[in-house]
């Protein structure tokens, strides 16, 4: 049950005309009062929820709102009108019979809490308690206007998507507004006498009022985290040391840098403010990745980015400076990633899957039900993108698997490094591909035993349907560079090709706590 509380107005006659009218799309039928300030009980009429039940619900709602405190005969006058099966409208004056004003402060929170109790008492669908972090639902007028103009989204939803898409491209609020203007968005800035930016509003081209004037929406009205103060905190508290385009000469790719930056999310969750900052920046990284990903991955990644927006905000105030590395990684991808590097991009998408799981667990632990749901929805899209991108690579790696003797030696590495999951890994259909990845890494001078221990410590395996796939992406990412000592690689160099192949992503089941235990050290037998 959703309570939509409208701002006070003066046109009571117009509101009554709407309540008892046919509606803009003939959606109102049999309008009638089911409750009011002095009502007799109405006979049951509709078992979906009878008039009596709607009347009882209305009584509880007006009491929770502060319109009619229990036992107060001098409270505001009100009626509840039902003109459809699934909702009622409550019309109330905001002056009491004794001339005083009702106490309506925080009425929305109280009504929301009452609705949660009503859902339980009447056996209705149980919604999650609100926390003032969600965006406002589109009004009927906004939805009808979008339908009339042939738009798939209302103006606020459309503008929200464009602002979030622009954030990874900007390092300040001024840059953000300039980027939006360049993209064709109408921008209206509010400035002080000194020229300082004090506020902003944006408009969708073609969204005009009855006088053919552009309609503008303040950022904070579009979404709670898009107000100017919050935009400035996110963008201007974590400035890069240099402009992102100056980093093109570095040997590592933006995709690799972003995967490395994700480690900060996993290791910096003890402090709530820092954790919230990293999760906010994670959403920016998902968006930047979606913009630069190949066309066949873009739809799922954009869907993940959109789903994750609510996970980016909570009542916990973020310490934005803590997310400096992760946010700059998103900017680097937005500015310098000219084309996808298949191997590094795959590792990043796999890392985003695990990061979404970590973010969802943190929100769930904090009691952030809506945010945890948003992270789970994003996770589904990220998993689909990973599976779509990496299935062909799994086949290719399996076809290059090392000889049986080498696989047996690598199996001993697995049993020594991750004993509690060893049999699941070795019997996994992805084991031949993992063996190839381990052999390739050893050919570059790495120790498979050590790579396995590190990967298992950073990516839990207890809930993985295919644990071998979980390990592959991390191992190929950490083992992508050669090491100075290459003696251990000589024996296996003849059994595999030396060209590295793209890593594969994890296949996670539902989130659980990590259960990886330390493995005992072992010595590789001489060959």
């Amino acid at each position: 049950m959703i309570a939509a509380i409208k701002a006070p107005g003066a046109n009571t006659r117009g509101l009554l005309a709407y309540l008892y009218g046919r509606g803009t799309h003939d959606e109102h039928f049999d309008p009638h009062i089911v409750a009011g300030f002095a009502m007799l009980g109405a006979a049951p009429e509709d078992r979906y929820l009878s008039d009596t039940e709607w009347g009882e619900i209305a009584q509880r709602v007006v009491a929770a709102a502060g319109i009619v405190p229990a036992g107060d005969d001098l409270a505001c006058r009100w009626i509840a009108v039902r003109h459809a099966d699934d909702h009622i409208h409550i019309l109330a004056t905001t002056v009491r019979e004794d001339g005083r004003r009702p106490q309506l402060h925080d009425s929305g929170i109280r009504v929301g809490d009452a609705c949660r109790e009503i859902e339980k008492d009447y056996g209705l669908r149980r919604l999650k308690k609100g926390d003032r972090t969600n965006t406002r639902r589109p009004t009927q007028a906004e939805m009808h206007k979008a339908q009339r103009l042939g738009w798939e989204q209302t103006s606020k939803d459309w503008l929200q998507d464009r602002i979030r898409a622009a954030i990874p491209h900007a390092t300040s609020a001024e840059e953000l507004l300039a980027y939006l203007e360049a993209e064709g968005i109408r921008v209206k800035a509010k400035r002080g006498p000194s020229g300082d930016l004090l506020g902003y509003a944006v408009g969708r081209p073609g969204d005009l009022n009855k006088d053919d004037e552009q309609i503008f929406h303040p950022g904070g009205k579009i979404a709670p985290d898009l107000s100017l103060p919050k935009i400035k905190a996110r963008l201007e508290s974590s400035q890069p040391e240099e402009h992102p385009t100056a980093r093109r000469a570095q040997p590592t790719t933006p995709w690799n840098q972003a995967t490395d930056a994700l480690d900060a999310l996993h290791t910096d969750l003890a402090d709530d403010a820092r954790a919230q900052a990293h999760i906010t920046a994670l959403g920016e990284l998902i968006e930047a990745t979606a913009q630069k990903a190949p066309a066949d991955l873009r739809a799922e990644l954009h869907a993940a980015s959109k789903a994750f927006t609510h996970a980016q905000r909570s009542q916990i105030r973020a310490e934005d400076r803590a997310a400096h590395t992760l946010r700059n990684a998103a900017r680097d991808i937005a500015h310098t990633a000219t084309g996808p590097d298949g191997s590094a991009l795959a590792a990043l998408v796999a890392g985003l899957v695990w990061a979404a799981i970590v973010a969802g667990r943190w929100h769930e632990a904090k009691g952030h039900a809506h945010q945890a749901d948003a992270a789970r929805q994003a996770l589904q899209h990220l998993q689909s993108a990973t599976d779509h991108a990496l299935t062909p690579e799994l086949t290719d790696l399996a076809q290059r698997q090392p000889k049986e003797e080498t696989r047996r030696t690598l199996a001993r590495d697995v049993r020594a490094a991750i004993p509690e999951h060893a049999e699941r890994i070795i019997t996994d259909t992805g084991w031949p591909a993992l063996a190839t990845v381990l052999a390739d890494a050893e050919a570059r001078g790495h120790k498979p035993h050590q790579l396995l221990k590190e990967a298992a410590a950073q990516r839990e395996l207890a809930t993985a349907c295919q644990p071998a796939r979980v390990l592959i992406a991390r191992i190929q990412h950490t083992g992508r560079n050669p090491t100075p000592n290459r003696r251990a690689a000589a024996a296996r160099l003849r059994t595999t090709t030396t060209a590295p192949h793209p890593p594969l992503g994890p296949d996670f089941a539902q989130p659980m706590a990590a259960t990886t235990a330390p493995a005992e050290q072992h010595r590789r037998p001489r060959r």
Side-chain angles (χ1 to χ4, degrees):
M1 176 174 290
I2 299 175
I5 300 178
K6 305 298 182 182
N11 190 1
T12 304
R13 180 177 179 180
L15 178 55
L16 287 170
Y18 167 75
L19 294 178
Y20 282 95
R22 298 181 62 181
T24 55
H25 288 69
D26 292 331
E27 71 273 21
H28 300 169
F29 53 89
D30 188 24
H32 56 282
I33 295 177
V34 295
F37 61 92
M39 288 288 298
L40 297 175
E45 177 179 307
D46 188 343
R47 192 47 226 143
Y48 176 67
L49 272 181
S50 69
D51 284 357
T52 299
E53 289 170 321
W54 275 121
E56 294 168 351
I57 290 170
Q59 294 276 359
R60 294 172 65 169
V61 169
V62 295
I67 294 171
V68 185
D72 190 343
D73 294 334
L74 298 179
C76 300
R77 295 316 190 206
W78 63 279
I79 59 172
V81 176
R82 180 183 187 183
H83 55 202
D85 284 341
D86 59 354
H87 68 277
I88 60 174
H89 292 268
I90 297 175
L91 171 64
T93 63
T94 54
V95 178
R96 294 165 43 87
E97 286 293 291
D98 56 12
R100 295 184 292 119
R101 292 280 185 180
Q103 299 296 320
L104 299 179
H105 181 67
D106 284 338
S107 60
I109 296 176
R110 297 195 301 272
V111 169
D113 291 342
C115 285
R116 304 294 79 80
E117 292 297 318
I118 290 169
E119 291 160 359
K120 180 174 64 176
D121 295 343
Y122 286 82
L124 304 177
R125 179 185 176 189
R126 302 287 296 276
L127 301 181
K128 296 178 175 59
K129 185 176 180 180
D131 60 0
R132 291 185 170 183
T133 62
N134 205 353
T135 56
R136 294 185 178 181
R137 293 168 56 88
T139 65
Q140 285 191 340
E142 291 171 338
M143 292 188 290
H144 291 159
K145 183 175 185 178
Q147 184 179 19
R148 185 175 70 251
L149 295 177
W151 293 343
E152 294 183 358
Q153 294 177 288
T154 64
S155 289
K156 287 182 180 178
D157 287 344
W158 187 87
L159 289 166
Q160 180 180 180
D161 287 351
R162 270 60 188 178
I163 296 173
R164 295 195 189 281
I167 286 175
H169 296 266
T171 60
S172 68
E174 295 283 6
E175 280 190 19
L176 177 67
L177 298 186
Y179 185 92
L180 291 173
E181 282 191 305
E183 292 293 305
I185 312 298
R186 305 290 187 261
V187 176
K188 181 167 67 174
K190 179 181 179 181
R191 299 186 182 277
S194 63
D196 292 341
L197 186 63
L198 302 179
Y200 80 101
V202 289
R204 181 180 190 173
D207 187 10
L208 309 177
N209 61 19
K210 59 182 177 63
D211 298 321
D212 289 333
E213 298 171 335
Q214 176 68 54
I215 297 176
F216 288 94
H217 302 277
K221 298 294 184 180
I222 296 173
D225 59 333
L226 297 183
S227 65
L228 180 64
K230 293 186 178 179
I231 286 288
K232 293 182 72 173
R234 286 168 66 175
L235 297 181
E236 298 174 12
S237 65
S238 55
Q239 294 271 5
E241 300 88 348
E242 55 186 348
H243 195 274
T245 55
R247 306 182 188 187
R248 295 180 185 271
Q250 295 183 357
T252 187
T253 69
W255 314 103
N256 285 327
Q257 292 173 353
T259 306
D260 291 335
L262 282 174
D263 290 338
L265 174 68
H266 311 308
T267 59
D268 203 9
L269 297 181
D271 180 85
D272 287 351
R274 295 174 68 87
Q276 182 60 62
H278 280 97
I279 292 172
T280 301
L282 172 61
E284 297 170 23
L285 179 58
I286 296 173
E287 173 61 33
T289 304
Q291 293 178 22
K292 295 293 186 172
D296 58 339
L297 300 181
R298 207 169 294 153
E300 287 287 3
L301 289 173
H302 274 305
S305 176
K306 190 174 182 65
F308 198 75
T309 55
H310 198 176
Q312 290 182 263
R313 55 183 182 265
S314 73
Q315 289 288 4
I316 296 175
R317 185 169 182 173
E319 178 52 59
D320 290 290
R321 292 183 185 276
H324 174 91
T325 302
L326 196 57
R327 180 162 287 119
N328 286 345
R331 290 172 179 167
D332 281 353
I333 288 177
H335 282 273
T336 69
T338 56
D341 175 338
S343 175
L345 174 61
L348 174 57
V349 176
L352 292 174
V353 169
W354 179 243
I357 290 177
V358 172
R361 288 176 178 172
W362 183 82
H363 278 307
E364 191 169 3
K366 297 300 174 183
H368 303 161
H370 296 284
Q371 290 83 347
D373 275 350
R376 281 191 287 267
Q377 292 170 23
L379 174 62
Q380 294 176 0
H381 293 291
L382 290 170
Q383 287 176 319
S384 296
T386 302
D387 291 341
H388 180 75
L390 302 174
T391 297
E393 302 302 332
L394 180 66
T395 302
D396 181 72
L397 283 168
Q399 291 174 346
R400 297 194 306 111
Q401 63 180 300
K403 294 179 180 180
E404 184 177 355
E405 181 183 0
T406 302
R407 294 200 305 272
R408 286 199 298 267
T409 304
L410 291 170
R412 289 196 292 270
D413 285 322
V414 174
R415 291 189 177 94
I418 322 173
E420 66 275 26
H421 299 296
E423 293 309 313
R424 291 180 61 225
I425 295 169
I426 295 168
T427 58
D428 189 348
T429 57
W431 165 243
L434 176 58
T436 304
V437 170
L438 290 170
D440 284 348
E442 191 175 24
R444 290 188 291 270
H446 293 279
K447 296 180 179 180
H449 171 264
Q450 187 63 31
L451 290 175
L452 285 163
K453 287 186 63 176
E454 292 174 357
Q458 297 186 36
R459 302 291 187 268
E460 62 94 359
L461 302 175
T463 61
C465 296
Q466 293 181 288
R469 294 187 64 184
V470 176
L471 295 169
I472 289 172
R474 184 66 185 182
I475 289 174
Q476 248 190 347
H477 175 69
T478 57
R480 67 184 184 270
N481 298 320
T483 62
N485 181 11
R486 302 182 61 86
R487 291 188 301 168
R492 294 183 186 165
L493 195 57
R494 299 187 299 272
T495 65
T496 59
T497 59
T498 57
H501 279 243
L504 302 182
D507 178 19
F508 286 105
Q510 60 185 2
M512 285 178 54
T515 58
T516 302
E520 62 181 65
Q521 295 292 333
H522 82 299
R523 178 175 297 179
R524 176 175 300 280
R526 294 182 181 273
R527 301 191 58 203

